[in-house]
Amino acid sequence: LLALIEPLMHSASEFMLVDLHSTSSAGLPFSVCGDTLKNRRVALSLPIPLLLGLEESIEGSLCEFVTERGHAAVVVEGGQNRDPGTQVRHEAAIWILLESMGALPRELIPNLAERARVLKDAGRGAPGVIEVTYRHAIRADSQFVMKPGFKNIHTITHGEELARDRDGAIRSPDDCVLLM
């Protein structure tokens, strides 16, 4: 990927990386970016929750690489792997981001308002910005088992049992939202 991306970063006056993802669990779509003004502007153009702080606990990401070189980079988490709506949300995000970066004029984007509504409806009920404040690391030998019924960006309460491992119950450290 770097062999393809690096020349583009050097030849373009403006470069933006959009990294599309899906997850194994159900949940709301969201975006992630390194906390720079340029990245925030790009990510906040999407009507889905923005997670800040996640990039601080994941080293060596492609988005981090691009951001450190002064370009915009955003991850768009579209939904569950097998959900056909995930592709629809990814496509909507791409069109919205092309417009927000000035790459395409609004009038050339088909159904832009409908695409924005699809994302807004999918993220309904979640905070606009979520700060990641705690990460529970899982090791291969931890015997980690998540309790059923949780999804991405799930509201949880202080002390609520979320999972178990070889050391016992794993509980929520606060009233917050769970990111899986």
Side-chain angles (χ1 to χ4, degrees):
L1 285 174
L2 288 179
L4 296 171
I5 292 171
E6 279 190 308
L8 294 172
M9 286 192 304
H10 296 300
S11 65
S13 60
E14 186 124 15
F15 177 86
M16 176 178 68
L17 174 77
V18 180
D19 191 352
L20 303 175
H21 282 256
S22 62
T23 62
S24 58
S25 64
L28 304 176
F30 59 88
S31 64
V32 178
C33 68
D35 198 5
T36 67
L37 291 176
K38 186 182 288 189
N39 283 344
R40 275 192 184 208
R41 180 178 61 81
V42 169
L44 289 171
S45 71
L46 297 169
I48 54 178
L50 167 61
L51 269 63
L52 293 174
L54 182 62
E55 77 287 352
E56 294 172 11
S57 64
I58 300 173
E59 291 186 31
S61 74
L62 186 55
C63 282
E64 177 185 27
F65 177 83
V66 171
T67 297
E68 286 175 351
R69 281 145 186 84
H71 299 287
V74 63
V75 173
V76 178
E77 178 60 63
Q80 188 174 30
N81 301 337
R82 294 187 185 106
D83 177 2
T86 299
Q87 180 179 340
V88 172
R89 290 185 287 274
H90 279 153
E91 289 174 7
I94 290 168
W95 285 108
I96 291 166
L97 290 169
L98 285 170
E99 191 271 335
S100 75
M101 291 295 290
L104 281 176
R106 179 178 288 267
E107 60 272 9
L108 290 182
I109 300 176
N111 306 316
L112 183 60
E114 172 63 18
R115 294 174 194 281
R117 187 194 60 74
V118 164
L119 286 182
K120 186 175 182 177
D121 288 351
R124 190 173 309 285
V129 177
I130 300 168
E131 182 181 4
V132 175
T133 58
Y134 175 79
R135 177 178 175 258
H136 183 84
I138 300 170
R139 297 177 317 275
D141 64 344
S142 68
Q143 300 171 358
F144 180 88
V145 178
M146 189 75 192
K147 286 187 68 176
F150 293 107
K151 58 186 187 225
N152 258 335
I153 309 182
H154 191 110
T155 301
I156 55 176
T157 58
H158 174 76
E160 183 174 354
E161 185 174 333
L162 308 173
R164 297 189 75 75
D165 66 12
R166 70 173 183 220
D167 298 324
I170 299 167
R171 300 186 180 278
S172 172
D174 207 343
D175 292 339
C176 53
V177 292
L178 176 67
L179 173 68
M180 298 175 54

